[in-house]
Amino acid sequence: MARIYLAHVTVYDPSVPGEVVKRYCTGRGFVTGTNASYRPSGVAAHIAYTPRVKQPASMRRDVFFRGATGGGSQVGYGELVLVNADGGLDDYLDYGLDGRQIEIIVGDMSPFRVPTFTTVMKGTMEQARISRDVVSIKLRDKQAVFAAPVQTAKYGGTNSLPSGLDGVAGDIKGNPKPRCYGTVFNIQPPCVNTSKLTYQVNDGTVNDITAVYDKGAAITKGSDYATSTLLQAATVTAGTYATCFAEGYFRLGSSPAGVVTADVQQGANAAARTAAQILKALATGPAGLSAGDVSSADVTALDTANSAECGIWIGQEADISECMDAIANSVGAWWGFDRLGALRMQQVAVPSGTAAVSLTEAEIINIDRIESQDTGNGLPAYRVKLNYKHFYTAQTSDLAGGVTNARRAELARSYREVIDTDSSVQTTHLLAPEMQFNTLLIDASAAQTECTRRLTLYKTRRDRFEVRAAITVSMAAALDLGAVVQVTHRRFGLSGGKLFRVLGMQHNLQNNRVDLTLWG
């Protein structure tokens, strides 16, 4: 099989000035044909590719930290190496590459067949490393854009009291404005106007501010006003609070005796407050993706897998990726970008259905069983504890006299807890571990359902394999994070074939192979 690799490198050229696409290839050069079948999709006819690609790309991507089935998501990384012995790429010294798009395409140019072209990676770049002989471009998948603050708007301290909603130099100036997604409990919102006792729960619209507390005691809810201007002009009855849902504020009618907290609901209805919908909102809001950049099928599937309400409140500096991780982990899911640059989200579940790729000893170069990095290093768990209904402000003292003992006990804990146990696991595995998870689910029943699902997932032995395999163009197109793969091999009880889920992968296009981390 004759194979060619093409690279589309988007750079900012100050001599233009503007963005231009540089095109390179392996081999002796390539020019797109007049017939659309003889060129990659979206590329015009008679476009020339310069033969400079020494290493097409070696891109590593993982769902989680390698060997784990939960935790923080991972940003993919790799490198494209271009030949520069003649100095023809020295202009890269002046180009801007960082944050711009790169696309790697593989073409099957077998004789007597119509060529096929498959995009194996779309990502972004860091700046190039330029030496005497090569230009090395560090690659990152698009997930790197999530390593940015979820909130860039900050309080300016510009109040001229009693007017203003921006704080003063001596209180909240420089602090990020809060962001709220879904339903949250006992948050401690900033006071944005100390003269008029006005607090902000969200830098934007909320559906409801369901409760406000002073020293843990509930305050009576009053009227809602259409604008913050009307709220500030209103007369608020002592002992009550008034709201402006449209802009995320509430105002007290009298000075508080202690710490002021609130319960808030953002999102029009329960269906808008699921993990999938909040992940989408974070991606298309702070991260700046378009709706078309997010896999709508994955959003629907994750909503089907777990439609429970959850919520997150960001009252201090935090990266978008941290918030995405917290939401995804609440329903046992991962998020990240596929090879075509679409944002994906999937619940970690036992692999099932039809395999995207089948690997046998004909394709497998090497296979090894590797220890899991989950709690217990892969030993089946006999118990799962799952925390839910997070209180953002735990209060153990300085509570009002009227706060009931039951409420005091609730306020003292950051989370509520559900448990599921299967003691029979300990018959075989004397050291079977207990696994514990923090979530942002808000309902006990939904939390118990997810707790039971995770016990079912982890009380059975799950295997992790590292597999190196030769790949064809069709395999490169079918393999991606989250895909289901069937492995058939004489070792490790795999002679009858077993399904696995791809949790990590690294293409080595130069050698036409792939390294896979498989779990199942």
Side-chain angles (χ1 to χ4, degrees), residues 86 92 134 173 220 271 420 453 468 478:
D86 61 352
Y92 270 71
V134 298
K173 180 180 179 180
T220 302
D420 203 353
R453 186 191 76 85
R468 175 168 292 175

Side-chain angles (χ1 to χ4, degrees), residues 445-464:
S445 177
Q448 188 65 64
T449 298
E450 177 62 12
C451 183
T452 299
R453 186 191 76 85
R454 295 198 198 190
L455 179 62
T456 301
L457 190 67
Y458 291 112
K459 73 180 183 180
T460 301
R461 192 196 82 212
R462 306 295 175 192
D463 296 320
R464 173 195 165 205

